[in-house]
Amino acid sequence: ELKVEQNPLFLSMQEGKNYTIYCNYSTTSDRLYWYRQDPGKSLESLFVLLSNGAVKQEGRLMASLDTKARLSTLHITAAVHDLSATYFCAVGLTSGTYKYIFGTGTRLKVLA
Amino acid sequence: GAVVSQHPSRVICKSGTSVKIECRSLDFQATTMFWYRQFPKQSLMLMATSNEGSKATYEQGVEKDKFLINHASLTLSTLTVTSAHPEDSSFYICSARESTGGARVYGYTFGSGTRLTVV
């Protein structure tokens, strides 16, 4: 059974601090997606990672992918309150079903 | 960019009635659409994969007679919750895979979600 686990599940941090969210998955895949969800809202696409070693950055967020370790990270630099949300990673299956399997989610709260 | 419209955004229905949720790709053709269910403060659980012109593929544990999916065209998939009960109350989200192959590069587009409350 495919598992996609995120760590931590809940993160409370002060503004200005750095932190990393981890996404581990249990199957072979070369496509990993990060999404943001605000309360009561749908998903906003953040990053698309499609190869081993891929690194992408947007503002205070940076995502990376290590397909050999089956690990993706989402690094937050100098957090601000507006980053408070739930972050999900999703693994794209390569078997032809085109399914995404979502991680457990990380609820981030940035304290002013 | 690709837009997926989901309707209604909120619906309250009485126990025992059926509710239909629509998912439309507005500016692209979607061979495949996906339906997810999300409970409060939990992750998205894939319910089924909807393929245009064929029967939907349901994930293990999802009742196909309870959650009827129809993908009648390349731009429309519907989810009907039949004989709804309070335990069916949840946030339902659809996503669409672009037929032209750009989905791998850009990722799937998600609808805005439907909050279903069964009373």
Side-chain angles (χ1 to χ4, degrees):
Chain A
E1 179 190 345
L2 169 61
K3 288 187 178 181
V4 184
E5 296 181 334
Q6 287 180 236
N7 185 7
L9 297 181
F10 183 79
L11 175 57
S12 179
M13 57 192 296
Q14 296 285 337
E15 275 194 332
K17 297 294 186 181
N18 304 332
Y19 208 84
T20 300
I21 298 170
Y22 298 89
C23 172
N24 289 91
Y25 54 97
S26 63
T27 192
T28 301
S29 177
D30 63 352
R31 54 197 76 180
L32 194 294
Y33 307 88
W34 282 96
Y35 290 90
R36 168 181 171 145
Q37 185 180 38
D38 291 295
K41 304 292 185 181
S42 189
L43 301 179
E44 174 191 352
S45 178
L46 295 176
F47 298 108
V48 177
L49 303 169
L50 300 177
S51 61
N52 185 41
V55 177
K56 291 195 175 178
Q57 182 164 5
E58 181 73 33
R60 300 175 187 274
L61 301 178
M62 183 174 71
S64 67
L65 177 62
D66 181 343
T67 58
K68 294 179 181 177
R70 298 180 182 174
L71 170 68
S72 180
T73 62
L74 180 66
H75 186 74
I76 303 158
T77 301
V80 292
H81 180 70
D82 285 351
L83 289 179
S84 298
T86 299
Y87 293 85
F88 291 99
C89 64
V91 174
L93 298 187
T94 57
S95 62
T97 62
Y98 307 112
K99 294 191 289 190
Y100 285 6
I101 303 300
F102 278 82
T104 44
T106 296
R107 288 176 59 209
L108 172 64
K109 186 172 184 179
V110 181
L111 305 173
Chain B
V3 177
V4 173
S5 172
Q6 189 172 340
H7 180 81
S9 57
R10 290 179 180 271
V11 58
I12 301 173
C13 71
K14 291 186 176 181
S15 192
T17 61
S18 295
V19 173
K20 181 184 284 188
I21 302 169
E22 290 188 349
C23 181
R24 291 182 185 273
S25 56
L26 295 187
D27 49 3
F28 65 97
Q29 292 186 331
T31 309
T32 307
M33 291 186 177
F34 304 91
W35 288 94
Y36 293 86
R37 181 176 184 176
Q38 186 180 32
F39 290 107
K41 299 182 181 179
Q42 293 191 24
S43 186
L44 282 75
M45 182 193 78
L46 179 64
M47 299 174 65
T49 302
S50 167
N51 295 295
E52 188 266 336
S54 63
K55 289 184 178 180
T57 303
Y58 290 83
E59 296 298 305
Q60 192 172 7
V62 177
E63 299 176 62
K64 58 182 67 175
D65 294 332
K66 159 69 85 174
F67 299 101
L68 299 180
I69 292 173
N70 184 276
H71 194 152
S73 75
L74 284 172
T75 58
L76 174 64
S77 177
T78 60
L79 167 67
T80 301
V81 183
T82 63
S83 187
H85 290 284
E87 57 265 29
D88 298 323
S89 298
S90 191
F91 192 53
Y92 293 87
I93 308 176
C94 68
S95 69
R97 174 178 171 265
E98 219 171 319
S99 301
T100 55
R104 182 174 185 272
V105 176
Y106 301 109
Y108 299 159
T109 303
F110 284 79
S112 53
T114 297
R115 174 80 55 196
L116 170 63
T117 304
V118 184
V119 297

